[in-house]
Amino acid sequence: MKRAFVIGHPIAHSRSPLIHGHWIREHGVNGSYEAIDVAPDALPAFIDRVRAGEFAGGNVTIPHKEAVFALADSRDPLAVRIGAANTLVHRRDGLFAFNTDYMGFLGNLDQNAPGWDEGLDTVIVLGAGGAARAILVALAARGVKTIHLLNRTIAKAETLAADLGPPLVAGALDDFNRHAPTAGLVVNCASVGMHGTRFEGVDLSLLPKSAVVTDIVYVPLETPLLADARARGLRTVDGLGMLLHQAVPGFEAWFGIRPVVTPELRRLIEATL
Ligand code: NAP
């Protein structure tokens, strides 16, 4: 039997066991996926168990993403650019680390806003925290020409833009309205939207009618930003799809079957929000 895991500290809140458990049942896989609470000082010993072959691999969440990246034997080049890993695979030549957040972000848009990147020149990304890095690398990999990275704390956007380089341009949240008329996509990576919070002064009416607005916050499923965008007739994509799609590459790597994000899976997870 192949075993997979999600480790974090704490870990009880993780929805990953539900997602992978659904696919294990759906495909009749002889495998398991379990949530394991691993405190930071216990991480090296746990990684030794994975290296020894006890698990096919697993997911890694806060606070272990950077540490696991450093402990792995080899790394996917895009994970190197992101500087963090969320997925481990046990291989004959050692532990391989990759980052599926960027694949989840792209998979969600590809499924729910087909054609979103055709002729896409300019993107506005709101927020420059941990989650933003994977999304910025994903957008750059799709050939976006300009990414305006706008953050409440401008210095953080500037540091991230300097680190990742072109096509990133750092700015303040107040710059949104100036860039909106040329933006084909708006991505919210800030925690604004949780508990019904909203951005002040962000005028979605300035966006082109063809613009897509997506939020990676998924509680609530429809954030005030997405509700405003939908009310203006813009295409919207919620953040739950990113969570579901980021699980696909890991499942495939451990169990050898590429699962599909179906409406049934979505309903299962939606019921837990
Ligand atoms: P983080 O590292 O703590 O970053 C938070 C970001 O939000 C920072 O840019 C911060 O700006 C900004 N922010 C917080 N409060 C703000 C406010 N009142 N006004 C303006 N900006 C504000 O968090 P993270 O790990 O990047 O996660 C961000 C969100 O993404 C979380 O809600 C998380 O649940 C969600 N997420 C979703 C997925 C998914 O699969 N859908 C994956 C990962 C994360 P400052 O720099 O100024 O503090």
Side-chain angles (χ1 to χ4, degrees), residues 62 101 127-132 151-153 156 173 189-192 194 199 215-218 239-240 242-243 246:
I62 293 166
D101 280 338
N151 198 42
R152 177 178 62 179
T153 309
K156 269 169 76 177
L173 292 175
C189 307
S191 27
V192 177
M194 297 173 82
F199 289 102
D215 206 321
I216 72 162
V217 172
Y218 56 87
L240 181 57
M242 176 174 164
L243 178 76
Q246 66 76 31

Side-chain angles (χ1 to χ4, degrees), residues 57-236:
N59 288 124
V60 180
T61 187
I62 293 166
H64 300 314
K65 286 187 177 189
E66 286 80 12
V68 156
F69 177 77
L71 288 167
D73 302 307
S74 60
R75 299 155 194 88
D76 175 71
L78 279 172
V80 172
R81 203 153 156 63
I82 295 163
N86 71 340
T87 305
L88 280 175
V89 183
H90 174 262
R91 290 181 172 177
R92 243 177 259 137
D93 58 349
L95 268 188
F96 176 66
F98 65 121
N99 189 310
T100 63
D101 280 338
Y102 86 96
M103 302 175 197
F105 173 74
L106 294 174
N108 186 29
L109 283 175
D110 288 341
Q111 186 179 56
N112 296 303
W116 65 276
D117 56 345
E118 279 166 26
L120 181 64
D121 277 347
T122 304
V123 176
I124 297 176
V125 172
L126 302 166
R133 269 189 93 94
I135 284 159
L136 294 165
V137 169
L139 288 169
R142 281 289 173 101
V144 172
K145 294 198 182 75
T146 307
I147 303 173
H148 293 289
L149 175 61
L150 311 183
N151 198 42
R152 177 178 62 179
T153 309
I154 303 174
K156 269 169 76 177
E158 283 169 344
T159 304
L160 194 48
D163 189 17
L164 293 177
L168 266 74
V169 186
L173 292 175
D174 285 351
D175 295 331
F176 181 92
N177 293 351
R178 191 157 52 88
H179 300 307
T182 56
L185 174 70
V186 176
V187 184
N188 177 41
C189 307
S191 27
V192 177
M194 297 173 82
H195 317 296
T197 52
R198 57 171 63 241
F199 289 102
E200 299 300 333
V202 161
D203 186 353
L204 298 184
S205 73
L206 298 170
L207 290 168
K209 288 274 166 267
S210 57
V212 175
V213 179
T214 186
D215 206 321
I216 72 162
V217 172
Y218 56 87
V219 184
L221 204 50
E222 184 171 67
T223 59
L225 182 78
L226 291 182
D228 287 356
R230 189 169 54 85
R232 294 184 187 284
L234 300 170
R235 276 202 292 176
T236 61

